[in-house]
Amino acid sequence: MAAPGAKTRVQAILLLALSLVLSSHVVSAFKDNEFKKCAQTSFCSRNRGVQQGQNFEIVPASLVLNTATLTATLSNKPASKTLQLTLTSHADGFVRFMVDELPGVGRYQVPGDVLVSGWETKKAAFKEESRSANQIVLSSGDARVELNFQPFTLAISVKGQPALQINSRNLFNFEHRRTKQDSDPAGYWEETWMSHTDSKPKGPEAMSLDLVFPGFQNVYGIPERATSLSLRPTNGAAPYGEPYRLYNLDVFEYLDDHPFGLYGSIPVMMAHKKGLTVGVFWNNAAEMFVDVVKPGRDTAVQWITESGIVDLFVFVGGSAPAVLASYAKVAGTTALPQLFSLGYHQCRWNYKDEADVKAVDGGFDEHAIPYDVLWLDIEHTNGKRYLTWDSSVFPNPIPMQEDVASRGREMVTIVDPHVKRDHAYYVFSEAEKAGHFVKNKYNNDFDGWCWPGQSSYLDVTSPAVRSWWAEQFTLDKYQGSTKHLYIWNDMNEPSVFNGPEITMQKDNIHFGGVEHRDNHNLYGIYYHMATAEGLKLRGSIVNPESGDRPFVLSRAFFSGTQRVGPIWTGDNAAQWSHLKVSVPMLLTLGLTGLPYSGADVGGFFGNPDAELMTRWYQVGIFYPFFRGHAHLETQRREPWLFGPETTARIRTAIRGRYAMLPYIYTLFRAANTSGLPILRPLWYEFPEAEELFAVDEEFMLGSAMLVKPVSAAGASSVDVTLPQGARWYDALTGAMVPPRTKSHRVQVTLDGIPVYYRGGNIVPRRERPRRSTAAQANDPYTLVVALDDKGEAAGSLYADDGRTFAFTRGDYLHRDFTFKGMKLTSTAHQEPGLPAGTLTLPLTVERVVFLGLPPARRGYKAVIGGKHTVPLEAGPLSMLAAQAENALVLRKPDLPVSHDWTVEIVAA
Ligand SMILES: *[C@@H]1O[C@H](CO)[C@@H](O)[C@H](O)[C@H]1NC(C)=O
């Protein structure tokens, strides 16, 4: 939850009382003036659009090319700054462009443990194509790199097409470390914002990168903000006259359709046009501002950072999947989550006591709605001392968790990085004694205000602090915890209620003497990492053989968070516009390597009505992370509290999620092995269709399903855009959409939203309604075979124990299904570099549902394994929502899921 935007507890209570008075309508309380704009920020205003230019040049005599590495001196006259430029060529589809001062200056670099290890050494030699007095041209795989000396520019093309220019607008700048001079302008050595003064002991050290994507009209990425998928120009009307900002902040009541940066930052941008996708990643954790303008047919970006170095990765694989696969080599892929965490999560600030927990848990069973996890927010603790319990309301936390677990479910408690300054609280006293807290500029433990009042903040940038923190999660250390308890990290931007912009002072000091200015955007990932390490440690103790996978949700994030755990989009509101913007927000996270994410279903602030609640669940079932959550002051909103009709609709939606889990888990496996997104923009699947490049009101779940949310009140119809060149089948009725339907108006009722299967795909499902994922474990599968124009389809199924790391040793099942020449076959899926799957499950395929088989006069029959014959019958697509009989169904073929088999479809 967000900071109350108040400096004291008393103020917070007053605010609460006031908002209760006003609670009949949602007040838009985003306090624009509590956050800095570019013009109010010295490094941004002095670099934004530096029109005169800095005129950097390469010193030709300095240039050295040594296989995969080119180095040269960059300097500018008359200021004669001397910089080191390094260009490296890597085997995994990228080129790295670095600029730093001379060695010894010691500017901050993002530590290696934020990214994966080992990628630096996998280099591929540059090939020298040509060299002249003013230019060198190199190639690396499909990329051609042209470095011009005077003036300095760098142009990269991929497969013969221009992809990226650096400094073609002469906006490149790099502020040297300097000694203080009387003539220095205001803002160089000290900067004041509201009541806060930043002492800036290192002075100015900003950089400006000038990037042009030639011929690209659409760029994406640089989360997190609540705005469109295709980034709008920042030279537009307010609020789009401000650059996008990357600075992790706890933004109270954020607005939709706004460029303002929220809780997490991924400095990754992707540009796409017909025939080419290119990606860039600036590995830098300081505050950033990014201007996007669209002159002519190009997109031009000025990217300004307060400190650190220029460390730009350019991904040259040419397509979005290739860009993401290369980025994953550096930042990592999504950790395969425990299966339970892909079920539905029920959260609220707060489930009050043990009786409340029992009642909510029982409510799901009473209303036959599946769910997997019940969450406890900050009120479960003893006075916001995390890892403790308020014994007046949670006197028996272990039996409580065991009771929930007896029905195959799990629990989550919140644990935040601010530690109450109370010597009687063991976490504080141990951490204080060991010197584990972030220091202020006077080298004392930083003392800031957060939920518990006066708090200090664990310095998780230190590996030793992270190990100590991880140890706090073993069952003997965390009193009242069981192996069924998982963790939620909130407020890890970090949120400091009385700090500048509700975070920490930039002149605070971390491990190694690093200023908070340099690593601000890493605080969240390091805290998340340390907590996840804690659950991993616990998992290796409770399950020494294979280790249990961790589950830790975080609000703040950076590049690499995908290796740690999921994030959610923070404190949204119960408004239609927030439902709508959740889609581009999650699509953007998928395009920047962090697909395991979700938005709070129902909206955190305010009270959704039955219609908004229904529509939100209908979309939420497709979010990779699927949780309902609500603010303390809102009315209760468990799924059965909106009347029987709404309960039935929400039940249908959530059961639909559970039916899709075999498909969703298989998508997670692809995210785990190859960095692929789970929710995908339409253009990702149809990269040549220009009319789709900016579409963000629809999305794909994997490659097989297209979803159109209904995000307006009272809608009786919506316009659906269906990409051309594919066949589409209504996922409720199974009816094929007439060919060449581009955009069409679809009638909707409150019972559902438009969802389609894309012809050419085989989708595994489990259709028996159960109370949780654990209860589905022995259920048979259904295969939906949706044929394309050639009468073919393909898909796969991944399964493992859903819980441990045994899959990393090959303890998994992965099958490929193909339908071709009227034959459906199942074969083992093989992926280079991975151990072969060795898991055998005694489960069967109980139904095969064909969509799009051409009409046959006397129907069809299936010949199974060349032997026994079963007729195909007209039937509904799904057992969950028996509607029209537009599918041909093979019932009870009893095909063993772990083995090879063939089913031939022949005319009856
Ligand atoms: C997949 O996720 C697991 C953690 O769940 C991780 O150990 C592994 O490195 C990831 N990647 C691959 C290719 O398995």
Side-chain angles (χ1 to χ4, degrees), residues 9-27:
R9 182 84 186 165
V10 176
Q11 273 176 286
I13 290 164
L14 284 176
L15 257 184
L16 195 121
L18 186 71
S19 56
L20 285 175
V21 173
L22 296 172
S23 64
S24 57
H25 68 291
V26 177
V27 192

Side-chain angles (χ1 to χ4, degrees), residues 279-482:
V280 294
F281 163 43
W282 188 350
N283 184 26
N284 184 302
E287 180 178 357
M288 295 175 152
F289 283 94
V290 187
D291 264 310
V292 173
V293 294
K294 301 195 176 181
R297 297 210 29 87
D298 303 336
T299 296
V301 171
Q302 188 186 17
W303 197 325
I304 304 166
T305 300
E306 183 171 19
S307 67
I309 63 164
V310 173
D311 188 4
L312 188 79
F313 295 70
V314 184
F315 302 101
V316 294
S319 67
V323 165
L324 284 171
S326 293
Y327 173 63
K329 299 284 186 194
V330 178
T333 60
T334 301
L336 191 66
Q338 293 208 24
L339 184 58
F340 80 76
S341 74
L342 303 183
Y344 174 60
H345 300 256
Q346 182 67 36
C347 187
R348 159 166 201 95
W349 178 21
N350 217 90
Y351 288 121
K352 301 191 298 278
D353 52 27
E354 288 170 9
D356 200 4
V357 166
K358 197 159 181 71
V360 172
D361 182 64
F364 280 91
D365 290 332
E366 186 185 327
H367 297 94
I369 298 173
Y371 97 105
D372 265 77
V373 194
L374 190 72
W375 293 51
L376 298 178
D377 209 322
I378 54 175
E379 312 300 331
H380 83 276
T381 61
N382 171 17
K384 320 298 185 294
R385 292 169 185 85
Y386 305 103
L387 306 173
T388 71
W389 300 83
D390 177 347
S391 59
S392 67
V393 282
F394 292 98
N396 299 299
I398 290 179
M400 171 183 74
Q401 291 158 52
E402 283 169 350
D403 179 54
V404 169
S406 72
R407 284 175 294 283
R409 294 170 181 146
E410 319 287 332
M411 290 191 72
V412 165
T413 50
I414 195 165
V415 178
D416 290 352
H418 49 263
V419 179
K420 185 177 173 67
R421 293 187 58 84
D422 167 10
H423 283 98
Y425 173 36
Y426 75 100
V427 174
F428 177 76
S429 55
E430 278 184 39
E432 189 194 40
K433 205 158 119 210
H436 285 341
F437 291 124
V438 178
K439 305 282 188 282
N440 64 19
K441 64 180 167 186
Y442 307 109
N443 211 32
N444 300 319
D445 285 350
F446 171 69
D447 180 349
W449 196 267
C450 210
W451 295 122
Q454 277 186 290
S455 306
S456 285
Y457 289 71
L458 291 171
D459 186 8
V460 283
T461 66
S462 152
V465 177
R466 291 203 297 277
S467 315
W468 173 82
W469 183 238
E471 287 160 13
Q472 306 309 310
F473 292 88
T474 57
L475 296 179
D476 54 332
K477 254 299 196 180
Y478 183 0
Q479 295 294 304
S481 70
T482 70

Side-chain angles (χ1 to χ4, degrees), residues 859-870:
Y860 291 104
K861 59 187 183 185
V863 185
I864 298 169
K867 293 200 286 274
H868 83 279
T869 304
V870 184

Side-chain angles (χ1 to χ4, degrees), residues 333-337 536 549 563 669 672-673 805 807-808 834:
T333 60
T334 301
L336 191 66
K536 224 166 142 178
R549 298 174 221 167
R563 305 195 311 280
R669 175 57 172 174
N672 179 234
T673 57
F805 285 102
F807 76 97
T808 59
L834 291 176

